[in-house]
Every structure is written in structure tokens, then in C-alpha cells.
Amino acid sequence: MSEVDLRRLVPRVLTGERGALDLLARACVRLALRVARAHRLGDADAWDVGQDTWIALAARIGTLREPARLPGWLVTTARRRALRVLAGRRREVLCARDLPDRADEAPTPEAVALNSERKRTFWRLAGALPRRHRLLLCLLADHPELTHAQLAAELGIAVGSVGPLRRRCFDRMRRLLVAEGLCG
């Protein structure tokens, strides 16, 4: 938003000048899109964040006291909306149809062999990852109940670094699995 002089633009918007409102809307959505894309949202979700951020600003523009602080407010609002979109995504949950018909059914020897081979391949590939990524994978596999704070303590990193580290670790592992032809 540096190309837009907010100190001059906001009063023009408040007086109802149409061109000023369009300019502010474009700048607001452009900034919100950058924030949303920094959170790795797809185009549709990023545009939703941009639109939601603009709507929030439009509803509050009359109460704006310091136009120079508007970019910070927009970034914070867009970030919160992007995080809400990410939190709203569903995690995969097994359905009853994915479970065996009877709990006492033992897996077939083929299923046991395939599962064992998958695990060996996974951990062989994980051995190529950096030490911190390997440690994170081990913690997640052995203790899936650990919170981000507990993971951060085990890894010796800040709590806010756990998510990005996990994403980088999973991205690297996914690339290794794809290179092996194990997932697409």
C-alpha cells in the first residue's frame, strides 16, 4: 500500500469520493491477497480473505482515526481471516466403511507385508531428512498427542516455529515419496 497516500485518501473516501473508494478497495484487497498467499491459501480462498478484509474495513472506515495505521490493521485482519480459513479445513477422519467389519478380524498376511514395507520405505526416506525434521517425524509418530508447545520444548524451538517446521518437513518428505513413485 506504499503507492497510496492513506493520509490523503481516507478523508476523500469519507466524503464519498467514488474514485478514492475504488483506489482504497484495490489497495486493501491487493494487500490482503499477499497476506493470504503468504499463508499458502489457494486463489479462491485468498480472494475470499481479500473480500472479507475489504468488507471489514468498509464497515469500520467511519471510525478510522489514524489512516497511517491502516496497513497494519489490514495485515492483521487479513492474517486472522487466513488463519480462520486454514483452521476451518477438515482433517481426514476414518469412516465406518473404512474400518474392518469385525474388530477381531486379523489383517491378511499380504496387508501385514505391505504395511511393513511401507514403514521401512518411509523411515528409510526419512533418514535423508535434516536431523530436526527426523526428530519431528519421530515425535509425531511416537507421540501424536503432543501439543505444539510440547513439540517446541522437545525440539528446542519457539512454539510459533513448530507449524512452519512441520510444513517444511512434510513438504520435503512428500517430495521424497513422489521421487520414489509412492505418492502423486
Side-chain angles (χ1 to χ4, degrees):
M1 287 190 70
S2 58
E3 69 273 3
V4 176
D5 184 2
L6 294 175
R7 290 184 183 158
R8 291 189 183 132
L9 182 60
V10 171
R12 290 174 32 208
V13 169
L14 293 174
T15 61
E17 184 181 322
R18 175 74 181 162
L21 186 62
D22 290 345
L23 185 60
L24 182 62
R26 279 194 302 276
C28 169
V29 171
R30 192 176 320 125
L31 179 61
L33 283 172
R34 281 198 305 263
V35 171
R37 288 185 178 129
H39 284 81
R40 296 184 179 194
L41 292 179
D43 281 342
D45 287 335
W47 279 102
D48 285 347
V49 167
Q51 184 178 16
D52 289 347
T53 303
W54 166 242
I55 290 169
L57 174 60
R60 291 169 181 79
I61 192 76
T63 63
L64 186 64
R65 289 178 283 181
E66 295 183 47
R69 296 181 69 181
L70 182 59
W73 183 89
L74 290 171
V75 167
T76 300
T77 302
R79 180 176 40 82
R80 287 178 180 161
R81 293 183 190 285
L83 291 173
R84 225 176 281 141
V85 169
L86 289 170
R89 291 186 176 162
R90 294 184 176 175
R91 294 181 181 241
E92 187 174 328
V93 177
L94 289 177
C95 296
R97 72 173 186 272
D98 297 331
L99 300 173
D101 290 338
R102 295 188 338 226
D104 60 347
E105 278 186 23
T108 64
E110 294 86 1
V112 171
L114 284 173
N115 191 38
S116 178
E117 181 60 27
R118 280 189 200 109
K119 285 181 182 177
R120 268 195 305 279
T121 302
F122 179 87
W123 289 110
R124 177 180 54 82
L125 293 173
L129 296 174
R131 187 189 69 73
R132 189 173 276 173
H133 289 186
R134 285 192 314 269
L135 180 56
L136 176 62
L137 283 176
C138 288
L139 288 169
L140 292 172
D142 295 340
H143 306 286
E145 74 282 355
L146 290 179
T147 65
H148 273 218
Q150 292 166 325
L151 286 169
E154 289 288 330
L155 295 168
I157 61 175
V159 174
S161 299
V162 172
L165 176 66
R166 183 176 154 170
R167 183 174 44 251
R168 286 191 306 273
C169 174
F170 286 0
D171 287 345
R172 276 188 164 167
M173 193 63 192
R174 188 176 301 109
R175 285 193 301 270
L176 290 172
L177 290 167
V178 167
E180 288 281 320
L182 298 175
C183 68

